[in-house]
Amino acid sequence: MADALSVIPASVLRNLSDKLYEKRKNAALEFEGIVKQLASSGDHEKISLVINLLTTEFVYSPHANHRKGGLIGLAAATVGLTSEAAQHLEQIVQPVLNSFSDQDSRVRYYACEALYNIAKIVRGDFIIFFNQIFDALCKLSADSDGNVQSAAHLLDRLVKDIVTESDQFSIEEFIPLLRERMNVLNPYVRQFLVGWITVLDSVPDIDMLGFLPDFLDGLFNMLSDSSHEIRQQADSALSEFLQEIKNSPSVDYSRMAEILVQRAASPDEFTRLTAITWINEFVKLGRDQLVPYYADILGAILPCISDKEEKIRVVARETNEELRAIKADPAETFDVGAILSITRRQLDSEWEATRIEALHWISTLLNRHRAEVLCFLNDIFDTLLKALSDSSDEVVLLVLDIHACIAQDPLNFHQLLVFLVHNFRVDHSLLERRGALIIRRLCVLLDAERVYRELSTILEGEADLDFACIMVQALNLILLTSSELSELRGLLKQSLVNAAGKDLFVSLYASWCHSPMAIISLCLLAQMYQHASAVTQSLVKEDINAKFLVQLDKLIRLLETPIFAYIRLQLLEPGRYIWLLKALYGLLMLLPQKSSAFTRLRTRLKTVPLCSFNSDQLKRASSGNPYSQILCHSGSQISEDGDITQDNRNLQNGINFASRLQQFEQMQLQHRMLAKSQAQSRISSASLSKEGPKAEPWRIPTSEGNRPLSRSSRRGVGQFQI
């Protein structure tokens, strides 16, 4: 210290800490001359002592003016050293950097000024302190004092010039520091960082693109900044990098793809648009390189297809098509299960367009990689069944297409229909809202006869009798009214003369027994009028309640539709179709006289030309139960209406109608016993309830069977609608 004091006059030291700037400045100039003389004589030991004196006595002094003077002195010493400053740089720069965090803003300002002057002298030698300087400038860019910010900006520009000229700058050492700062929210710091990224990217010898994944997320984060200028700068930097990616022969897409997927779900619209645009370019450029990330990318694209912003929707759809056009091999890291998992989650999306595209992907995978998809069938099957309840008809139709594709295998076909019946059972509203659409579409895709046979087999063993009745009524209504099932109706019409039609009739009969009106409809469709009459006669045992009459009313209405036009024409020959006439009169007698159905059917029957009957036909038609003798002699045979050849008569006689009638009556007995049990259970529950109001002993509870048939009661519980 004494050696240093002997070199520097006391007046210089005194003026260096003066409160007046001019005195400090003059003292610094004198200090510069002293250091220059020492440097020319090569006395670097004394120079080191002088610098140490400035640091300890001035820069680290508790007095602000001393600190200001010390900073000016260090800058002056550097100027005095000129080309020889490098060997003392560590001793000079570190105290200045420490002053950047001084509590006094004027000291921070002088620190910027001092480092600026030092940097101008040492230039490239300055690079060894770059990370420390960058960190200090990053903090000063957000300084609360405007003068300090201005000084920091000047220093920043000089440092950028030095770095771009230097061949000693290490991008590898700098990137960790940049990555650490990228998530700072301060707008001034963000501008500072974007500025450095842009400058470094412009240097040909610095490969910023190779390190893009390290700060890409930070740039995307800035796209949602409240400052328009910052958003614009970040967007400009990203656009430049994207152009470099397009022109680069080798790019690491993996880490960047992960970032883009996350940013595609950003709440900020501009960020989403930029992310999906990048993904679009990546899919076009990377293609096979992105195979391991298909699932993640698809997870980002599908929600954007339904984005509220049209630009995002357009880019997302284009990207989706590009991705689907790439035919990858599951053996080459193409994860079918991961993509199915993504599509399954997107089927729960609130947006219809997203659900539709998710289904298109499942369909595409089924067509390309059927075996692999079927391996994951248990993971997606329940979700696909649930999708049948979707509010969108287009979604439901696509789901049915997928189900039909899966059901090409017999085992999957059976499983599909079993699950479908189960869903209808647990959710009657699904049967009401979607039943017709689902059944009709499956009949088109999977063959109507096959579907109806399988459903009939399932319902034949259905334990829930109430549901079985509702389901059979639904299937029967579809069979009688849907254009898609015209061939099936045509086959049933030939049941008496065609072995295939007879086999189908028998196949449906067992489950159709759950509903009297369904059985009668089936018999009328198959032109088995004598059996229809027998079934009608057996209905005397039924509880003629509101539900029964509603179904009967629907059947009478159906008789007036084009489907049954052939029956109405057959009534022109009552002598030939006497059992048809008797069946219809039987239905008429079951209807209340004041009902519209009674009026409609009676009006139709009044037009029948009864003059064509002969006495033998009338006697045969009035003989009572057409199966009375057959029930006693099971080996007997009967014939239906119409002129049938001996061969055809033998063919239709293959159906044991007496046994079928017994089957129907036994099934209806089970339904009546169930209804009785349910009624007794309700009465018991009501009588055991202590909290409910006591029933008046003189009032008979109104049951469904005692209610009058009104317009409001025409639709029974769980009634199926077309």
Side-chain angles (χ1 to χ4, degrees), residues 433-707:
R433 293 181 292 105
R434 295 289 185 214
L437 178 65
I438 292 170
I439 299 299
R440 289 163 60 185
R441 186 62 179 169
L442 286 178
C443 285
V444 170
L445 297 171
L446 294 173
D447 179 61
E449 182 178 352
R450 185 185 178 202
V451 170
Y452 262 71
R453 283 178 178 273
E454 188 70 28
L455 288 173
S456 179
T457 301
I458 295 169
L459 292 172
E460 184 179 350
E462 175 59 48
D464 187 343
L465 297 182
D466 287 338
F467 164 71
C469 182
I470 294 171
M471 186 70 188
V472 165
Q473 289 169 3
L475 292 173
N476 184 63
L477 193 56
I478 296 170
L479 174 63
L480 295 177
T481 58
S482 299
S483 59
E484 294 89 344
L485 276 73
S486 59
E487 292 186 9
L488 200 62
R489 289 194 296 271
L491 183 60
L492 284 169
K493 286 179 184 178
Q494 301 297 317
S495 296
L496 291 174
V497 296
N498 182 291
K502 180 199 73 172
D503 188 53
L504 177 60
F505 175 85
V506 173
S507 176
L508 298 182
Y509 193 96
S511 59
W512 258 239
C513 284
H514 284 290
S515 169
M517 293 307 114
I519 279 290
I520 294 173
S521 301
L522 184 64
C523 291
L524 293 177
L525 185 60
Q527 303 187 68
M528 296 181 180
Y529 302 134
Q530 189 169 351
H531 190 63
S533 177
V535 172
T536 304
Q537 293 291 332
S538 73
L539 295 180
V540 69
K541 303 174 185 178
E542 291 293 323
D543 179 16
I544 309 299
N545 57 21
K547 286 184 179 180
F548 180 92
L549 292 174
V550 166
Q551 291 302 312
L552 182 51
D553 179 270
K554 287 193 172 186
L555 175 57
I556 302 305
R557 291 175 183 271
L558 284 169
L559 290 175
E560 297 298 320
T561 63
I563 297 297
F564 286 113
Y566 66 93
I567 285 182
R568 300 196 295 274
L569 291 174
Q570 287 172 351
L571 290 175
L572 293 173
E573 302 178 78
R576 183 181 179 190
Y577 296 99
I578 191 168
W579 289 112
L580 169 60
L581 193 62
K582 187 169 183 178
L584 295 180
Y585 268 108
L587 295 177
L588 181 68
M589 295 308 160
L590 293 174
L591 288 165
Q593 289 190 25
K594 293 184 178 181
S595 66
S596 61
F598 179 88
T599 304
R600 185 179 295 108
L601 183 55
R602 184 181 61 175
T603 302
R604 173 63 64 185
L605 292 173
K606 280 182 178 180
T607 63
V608 176
L610 297 179
C611 60
S612 62
F613 283 110
N614 60 46
S615 59
D616 291 338
Q617 291 168 332
L618 289 172
K619 183 178 179 180
R620 178 161 59 92
S622 61
S623 62
N625 188 343
Y627 298 141
S628 58
Q629 296 179 354
I630 294 176
L631 293 176
C632 299
H633 305 87
S634 59
S636 302
Q637 295 181 339
I638 65 168
S639 62
E640 292 290 331
D641 289 336
D643 297 327
I644 305 174
T645 65
Q646 183 64 37
D647 291 340
N648 285 338
R649 185 178 294 114
N650 291 335
L651 177 60
Q652 64 90 13
N653 285 341
I655 302 175
N656 189 336
F657 287 104
S659 175
R660 297 298 169 200
L661 183 61
Q662 285 182 329
Q663 184 180 20
F664 168 73
E665 291 178 339
Q666 288 171 1
M667 179 61 74
Q668 289 306 303
L669 178 60
Q670 292 183 40
H671 277 272
R672 288 195 297 273
M673 291 175 64
L674 175 63
K676 184 177 179 180
S677 173
Q678 291 173 341
Q680 290 176 346
S681 177
R682 287 194 295 268
I683 293 172
S684 299
S685 299
S687 63
L688 292 173
S689 176
K690 296 181 180 180
E691 298 179 0
K694 294 183 179 180
E696 296 175 345
W698 51 268
R699 179 174 296 175
I700 300 175
T702 301
S703 67
E704 225 176 294
N706 295 322
R707 293 177 191 161

Side-chain angles (χ1 to χ4, degrees), residues 105-106 109 112 143-152:
S105 61
R106 295 302 296 167
Y109 176 86
C112 291
D143 199 278
S144 57
D145 188 280
N147 291 327
V148 175
Q149 281 192 22
S150 299

Side-chain angles (χ1 to χ4, degrees), residues 260-277 279 298-318 320 346 349-355 357:
L260 296 175
V261 165
Q262 294 176 357
R263 289 300 171 180
S266 170
D268 178 67
E269 182 181 297
F270 186 49
T271 303
R272 291 198 308 276
L273 176 60
T274 307
I276 202 70
T277 302
I279 291 175
L298 184 62
I301 292 172
L302 291 178
C304 289
I305 287 175
S306 302
D307 200 277
K308 61 182 180 181
E309 173 57 43
E310 184 180 1
K311 292 180 180 179
I312 297 176
R313 294 198 302 270
V314 170
V315 178
R317 287 189 178 279
E318 179 185 333
N320 184 55
Q346 293 303 327
S349 169
E350 62 179 311
W351 306 110
E352 178 184 357
T354 293
R355 300 196 300 274
E357 287 305 320

Side-chain angles (χ1 to χ4, degrees), residues 92 165 219 238 297 410 415 597 605 610 625 668:
I92 294 172
E165 296 170 358
L219 283 176
L238 286 168
I297 292 174
Q415 185 183 21
L605 292 173
L610 297 179
N625 188 343
Q668 289 306 303

